[in-house]
């Protein structure tokens, strides 16, 4: 599983202690489904926050179960949230297969004989 690490600029406070170091994994479809189930699909910001909460595998020394959408919405500075989105995009970019098959259009061969 691909994980990217970074350090938040502003960090989050949890139980009187500041936490800055984060590990983020690439979100999967199941994460997106769970995020929609939690917050709905009306707000892209809430969806991305819920998705991010599921993909943070480390946030300082916080226990994993404390990293929730509600916690992040109340404690995460917007600039740090943007960093987490940038991290997710960087993971996606690393995963792209440069030699992947792409859809191509093939011109069907003509069934009629050439005329002179």
């Amino acid at each position: 599983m691909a994980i990217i690490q970074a350090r938040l600029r502003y960090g989050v406070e949890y139980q009187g202690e500041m936490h800055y170091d984060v590990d983020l994994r690439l979100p999967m479809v199941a994460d997106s489904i769970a995020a929609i189930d939690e917050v709905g699909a009306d707000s892209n910001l809430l969806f991305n926050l819920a998705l991010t909460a599921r993909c943070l595998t480390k946030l300082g020394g916080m226990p994993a179960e404390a990293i929730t959408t509600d916690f992040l919405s109340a404690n995460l500075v917007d600039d740090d949230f943007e960093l987490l989105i940038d991290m997710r995009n960087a993971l996606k970019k690393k995963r792209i297969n440069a030699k992947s098959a792409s859809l191509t259009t093939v011109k069907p061969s003509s069934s009629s004989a050439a005329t002179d």
Side-chain angles (χ1 to χ4, degrees), residues 8-10 76-84 86:
L8 299 176
R9 182 174 187 163
Y10 301 99
L76 188 64
V77 174
D78 59 348
D79 288 346
D80 281 345
F81 179 60
E82 288 179 22
L83 172 65
L84 294 172
D86 290 344

Side-chain angles (χ1 to χ4, degrees), residues 8-64:
L8 299 176
R9 182 174 187 163
Y10 301 99
V12 297
E13 185 176 352
Y14 177 75
Q15 295 186 340
E17 185 178 337
M18 294 301 296
H19 300 269
Y20 297 92
D21 296 319
V22 295
D23 290 359
L24 185 82
R25 68 172 174 78
L26 189 64
M28 296 294 140
V29 173
D31 297 310
S32 295
I33 292 168
I36 290 171
D37 285 346
E38 179 187 354
V39 299
D42 295 336
S43 170
N44 193 39
L45 179 63
L46 273 177
F47 166 76
N48 279 302
L49 188 63
L51 186 62
T52 299
R54 280 166 177 69
C55 295
L56 278 171
T57 60
K58 174 186 171 188
L59 181 50
M62 291 178 57

